[in-house]
Amino acid sequence: GGTGGGGTGGGGGTSTQLDLRADVNRDGAVDTAGTSDETGEDSWTASRGAVFLPNIDDDNGDCPKSGTDAQLAACNDATNSVIDGADDLADLARLRTVPWPTAPSNAAASISVSQPSRVRLFKNVSGNFTAIASGASLTSSELKAGVEFGIEGLDIRRDASWDGYLNVTLNMTAGGSGSDVVRMRMSPVMLNHHVQDASNVYVTAFSSAGSQAMRADLSAACSSAGTPYTELTGLSDQWTQDYFETGYMSMPATGGQQKVIRVYFRSANYTTSGLRAAGKVVYTYFHGKDRAGVTHYDPNHSNSADTLNSFGNTETIPPHGSYPLGRILRGSVSNFYPDQMFESMLTAQGMQSQVFIDTSWLSVAHVDETLSFVKASSPRGWVMLANDAALAKTMLQTAQSQGYGSTQMFIGKTWNGGSSAQVSINAVLADSNVMGASNEAVAEVNSQIAVVKSATGLTDAEIIKVPFLHWKASSYSVAFQPGTVNLTYVGPKTVAAAKPHGPKINGVDIFEDQMIKALQPYGISVKFVEDWDLYHRLSGEVHCGSNADRAVTTKWWESGK
């Protein structure tokens, strides 16, 4: 690469053999014996180019588990200049100089990086990796023997001020002339999507009967899918989806594998009293070996609508077209938008460009209230679920016309103030609030669907209708029935959705039956979760109350982005 490999003619006729190598072929090792890592080392493409990680996990568990928001966010493995054990060393990408046994005794070189404020270099000295400054010198004996280096990113990319690429340059400073350049790229952070299998499902635990009912059913759904299930305790916030978001970054590892560091974003929910308290969980629980916490928000908040900063409003459309890692889906319009600093950070990752839909008509205003995605054995690999209030109305009208108008829904359930929720099909169809809000919801959801179709090429045949009615709360729309589209994909063939408490005709809940049959062709079974008391009547459902880590199989560097 560059003028390395064979070197260039030096001053005084001395032939120099400066040759710097990195894992250009992405096999998890640096080849100094052959030339497999030589070609194209000074560029970066979908097929070749070295990768390194922002080393912001906490492999030794040295960071505090309590303290102020600033103290928690300020500690990670890159905030010191020492290697915190073997696990930390494994997070460094390696570079090596090819041994040059005939180097002149007066030979000297320097190694430098083009972005010294973004990364830290380490040099292997007798088995110990020691931090060195950009521009550090190498002696003749080091050049003769060959030197190993490690490189770590000091932080993820947070804005457009840097594109994530840098050059590492080995430059002759005495005993000849010549240089060699290797181009590297820092891993961006990717968010997970529903086509990735769940590797752990999280829910916040409370002692209340509503929490116990939800957790019993969600735990059983995870168990049936063979997925680990974890309860988060000591938090006063049941909206587990909203206060953290799961993602990952990775680099090539040996044997065709990849080294993954999971990333947990703290929500940018911010009021005059500070950041959303439950978001500390990204440090107090998650931050650790190969697990990084990230806080990023605008303390001035620039008029953003805070509910949009909850992560029920940050979902990922699964892979499509030229987006092999999918695209981020968020609710945002010109006068109703999330934290713009967080927005800029998501954009800076450069892998999953964002699609924006209008959620401003919804009371909670999250994308997960009306749309969701599930795996399918189809060319695309997934289908979209979309709320269809018109279908819900038609189902109730059909039951009414068959003589079931007096059949009750929401039996035994109460609203938040304690009033009975139980209601007949006839009464629901005669309720002007419910019918009016449901009609509006149809038009609004159709607009959302149109945006996603335009962005992805999705067809009507790839959209599954999920029926539930809406009603108005303070002039905004919210699910009247448990919103079953707001579901969590807990296993390769299992979704957990809210128990709809619909009318039972001949012993069958017509809304449960519709959903089971709609997903059957895709081999997906539905596990219904009791979420009425702690979630539905407080304007949320199963997805709002849960979160998940997901298996990482795609290698982002092969994406062409």
Side-chain angles (χ1 to χ4, degrees):
T3 53
T8 55
T14 304
S15 173
T16 61
Q17 293 176 24
L18 284 188
D19 195 347
L20 181 65
R21 302 278 176 89
D23 181 18
V24 174
N25 70 350
R26 303 169 182 163
D27 67 353
V30 181
D31 177 13
T32 56
T35 58
S36 66
D37 282 327
E38 182 72 14
T39 307
E41 66 175 13
D42 54 357
S43 61
W44 207 96
T45 67
S47 56
R48 291 181 71 81
V51 175
F52 68 99
L53 289 170
N55 188 17
I56 60 166
D57 60 350
D58 178 23
D59 286 310
N60 261 5
D62 297 327
C63 291
K65 293 297 184 187
S66 62
T68 65
D69 292 335
Q71 287 167 339
L72 290 168
C75 182
N76 59 59
D77 284 348
T79 53
N80 63 37
S81 58
V82 298
I83 301 295
D84 298 307
D87 290 331
D88 190 28
L89 186 59
D91 296 341
L92 270 57
R94 305 304 167 83
L95 302 105
R96 293 175 182 267
T97 66
V98 176
W100 179 17
T102 59
S105 57
N106 68 335
S110 67
I111 185 163
S112 57
V113 291
S114 59
Q115 295 283 341
S117 67
R118 311 275 190 180
V119 298
R120 183 179 289 115
L121 274 175
F122 292 85
K123 182 170 74 174
N124 185 348
V125 181
S126 306
N128 293 313
F129 281 77
T130 305
I132 57 172
S134 177
S137 58
L138 305 177
T139 64
S140 172
S141 60
E142 287 176 321
L143 292 172
K144 287 179 179 180
V147 187
E148 182 184 23
F149 302 93
I151 187 169
E152 65 180 5
L154 301 182
D155 196 6
I156 67 167
R157 289 181 61 210
R158 294 184 182 246
D159 54 41
S161 63
W162 177 44
D163 63 6
Y165 294 88
L166 58 80
N167 290 334
V168 185
T169 303
L170 186 63
N171 196 50
M172 202 74 184
T173 54
S177 64
S179 63
D180 197 19
V181 177
V182 170
R183 190 152 179 81
M184 303 189 79
R185 182 178 178 186
M186 187 171 78
S187 174
V189 182
M190 280 64 63
L191 302 186
N192 295 316
H193 56 74
H194 266 180
V195 175
Q196 295 167 251
D197 290 340
S199 55
N200 209 319
V201 171
Y202 304 101
V203 65
T204 319
F206 296 88
S207 58
S208 69
S211 173
Q212 289 178 28
M214 156 83 163
R215 289 183 285 120
D217 287 348
L218 185 61
S219 170
C222 291
S223 181
S224 74
T227 300
Y229 161 88
T230 300
E231 294 182 349
L232 303 175
T233 57
L235 302 168
S236 57
D237 192 329
Q238 76 262 39
W239 308 110
T240 318
Q241 181 65 215
D242 287 341
Y243 52 79
F244 71 96
E245 181 75 14
T246 66
Y248 65 94
M249 49 199 179
S250 63
M251 71 177 178
T254 53
Q257 302 300 304
Q258 55 183 323
K259 166 73 179 184
V260 174
I261 293 181
R262 296 196 173 275
V263 178
Y264 301 86
F265 286 113
R266 182 174 187 174
S267 77
N269 293 119
Y270 183 80
T271 63
T272 50
S273 56
L275 284 164
R276 187 172 187 163
K280 280 189 179 183
V281 75
V282 306
Y283 303 105
T284 59
Y285 178 77
F286 289 107
H287 198 43
K289 173 175 154 49
D290 295 338
R291 305 208 298 188
V294 171
T295 301
H296 195 71
Y297 68 104
D298 179 0
N300 300 316
H301 238 41
S302 306
N303 302 317
S304 72
D306 199 57
T307 185
L308 297 178
N309 297 319
S310 295
F311 287 127
N313 191 47
T314 303
E315 292 307 304
T316 306
I317 304 170
H320 55 276
S322 58
Y323 296 94
L325 296 158
R327 293 171 82 180
I328 296 166
L329 180 68
R330 302 194 92 195
S332 181
V333 289
S334 60
N335 60 346
F336 188 71
Y337 50 82
D339 185 297
Q340 294 298 283
M341 283 182 67
F342 195 90
E343 194 66 67
S344 297
M345 182 191 65
L346 289 179
T347 300
Q349 306 313 312
M351 300 301 295
Q352 301 168 305
S353 72
Q354 295 174 80
V355 176
F356 298 111
I357 59 176
D358 184 358
T359 58
S360 63
W361 55 283
L362 289 161
S363 176
V364 180
H366 293 174
V367 292
D368 69 352
E369 294 180 76
T370 51
L371 303 176
S372 188
F373 307 92
V374 295
K375 266 185 173 177
S377 50
S378 64
R380 191 183 298 280
W382 55 273
V383 291
M384 182 167 80
L385 277 56
N387 170 223
D388 188 346
L391 177 56
K393 181 179 175 182
T394 299
M395 287 171 65
L396 293 177
Q397 287 173 330
T398 299
Q400 185 184 53
S401 70
Q402 293 169 347
Y404 296 106
S406 59
T407 302
Q408 303 290 302
M409 299 166 54
F410 308 159
I411 293 172
K413 297 297 158 192
T414 58
W415 295 117
N416 226 17
S419 62
S420 172
Q422 189 165 312
V423 63
S424 70
I425 291 174
N426 287 337
V428 171
L429 290 171
D431 188 320
S432 59
N433 177 345
V434 174
M435 291 298 109
S438 295
N439 285 339
E440 288 176 25
V442 172
E444 295 287 0
V445 173
N446 283 342
S447 297
Q448 295 180 341
I449 291 170
V451 172
V452 176
K453 285 170 69 173
S454 174
T456 62
L458 198 69
T459 65
D460 287 334
E462 297 171 292
I463 298 171
I464 297 175
K465 298 305 176 76
V466 182
F468 54 89
L469 298 166
H470 286 243
W471 61 345
K472 286 290 178 74
S474 305
S475 78
Y476 290 99
S477 192
V478 68
F480 171 65
Q481 298 157 264
T484 44
V485 75
N486 186 280
L487 52 77
T488 293
Y489 211 128
V490 297
K493 294 183 178 298
T494 310
V495 296
K499 190 170 181 60
H501 293 287
K504 285 189 175 177
I505 295 173
N506 299 323
V508 176
D509 182 320
I510 63 171
F511 290 101
E512 282 193 16
D513 188 56
Q514 186 276 340
M515 189 163 194
I516 289 167
K517 287 174 176 167
L519 288 173
Q520 244 165 10
Y522 304 98
I524 296 169
S525 68
V526 186
K527 303 296 183 185
F528 291 102
V529 174
E530 178 52 72
D531 80 343
W532 184 285
D533 287 352
L534 189 58
Y535 297 95
H536 174 64
R537 66 186 187 182
L538 296 171
S539 306
E541 310 291 355
V542 175
H543 188 259
C544 303
S546 58
N547 214 319
D549 272 319
R550 298 192 175 274
V552 178
T553 55
T554 306
K555 295 172 180 173
W556 67 265
W557 48 88
E558 296 174 354
S559 67
K561 295 195 177 299

